[in-house]
Amino acid sequence: MTGWKRYRPSPALIVALIALIVASAGVGVGASLITGNQIKNGSIKGVDIKNHSITKAKLKGNFQGPRGTTGAQGLQGLQGKSGPAGEAVAYARVAADGTLEPGDGGKQNKNIVASSIQHASAGVYCFGGLPFAVASAMVSPDSAGDITTNTIASVAIQRGITLGTCDANHQQARVSMVAVSNATAPTLTDHRFQVWFEATGGSQIAPGPGGE
């Protein structure tokens, strides 16, 4: 009896052991005591749940709601303003013989008439008498009838240097059409083309031995 009394645990030690056991089993006990069936619907609110404590991965079920009905069509917007007119002050589709193509009721040509064009020689076409001073020009071969054309086009405008081959009345611009191939050297050749002009808004520089 003397040995038992010597090693009998004190009341404080017993209480401490009980507290340790309860603390270790607290989570499991809580989970076993409270179930979803015991929680009243709507009794737990957002303020009762710690932020970020419940993630989508921990939840079950489909969280996407049903697709809503299509909304009504909105009102038609106001019509935009018309854009500015194109910059080309003149253009023309010129046949191989130097005449204006009459297609599309003449709408392929603007501010260029038959007398504006001189077919100076094979592959050389000169322009003059235009109702504006030429600032710049662009030219392109028109290969509507020969899609495998080997013809290239170039254009020179009057900036104070006399345009050779062109007469005195057609000194505003000159178009050259050149055929290239592997068999022969490049040669001037008659060919249909399209040309576009832009105006300077001033006076045409007179031709001479020098210039810009």
Side-chain angles (χ1 to χ4, degrees):
M1 295 299 292
T2 304
W4 165 247
K5 291 182 179 179
R6 179 181 299 175
Y7 296 101
R8 185 175 58 183
S10 65
L13 178 60
I14 294 173
V15 172
L17 290 174
I18 294 173
L20 178 62
I21 294 171
V22 171
S24 300
V27 176
V29 171
S32 64
L33 294 178
I34 302 175
T35 67
N37 294 330
Q38 295 170 313
I39 299 175
K40 182 179 179 181
N41 292 342
S43 62
I44 297 180
K45 301 180 181 180
V47 296
D48 301 318
I49 301 174
K50 182 180 179 180
N51 290 341
H52 309 298
S53 62
I54 299 178
T55 63
K56 185 176 180 181
K58 296 180 180 179
L59 301 176
K60 297 181 180 179
N62 183 9
F63 302 98
Q64 182 175 357
R67 184 173 182 177
T69 58
T70 303
Q73 183 175 353
L75 299 175
Q76 183 175 353
L78 299 175
Q79 183 175 353
K81 297 180 180 180
S82 299
E87 293 183 1
V89 68
Y91 49 81
R93 187 183 188 207
V94 182
D97 62 0
T99 60
L100 291 173
E101 293 278 7
D104 198 18
K107 294 180 181 178
Q108 298 178 105
N109 310 307
K110 172 185 175 182
N111 285 338
I112 297 177
V113 296
S115 60
S116 303
I117 306 170
Q118 175 201 8
H119 188 195
S121 60
V124 178
Y125 306 85
C126 304
F127 292 81
L130 301 174
F132 55 87
V134 178
S136 62
M138 295 178 60
V139 64
S140 173
D142 188 325
S143 56
D146 51 347
I147 60 174
T148 58
T149 182
N150 58 352
T151 305
I152 60 175
S154 64
V155 61
I157 61 173
Q158 175 56 254
R159 300 298 299 170
I161 300 175
T162 300
L163 299 176
T165 311
C166 301
D167 66 22
N169 296 321
H170 296 86
Q171 282 287 324
Q172 288 182 279
R174 181 188 64 208
V175 169
S176 300
M177 305 297 294
V178 178
V180 295
S181 68
N182 294 330
T184 61
T187 56
L188 289 165
T189 184
D190 290 344
H191 196 280
R192 180 190 291 115
F193 64 91
Q194 298 191 43
V195 65
W196 299 263
F197 293 105
E198 291 187 9
T200 64
S203 301
Q204 190 76 49
I205 297 176
E212 298 178 353

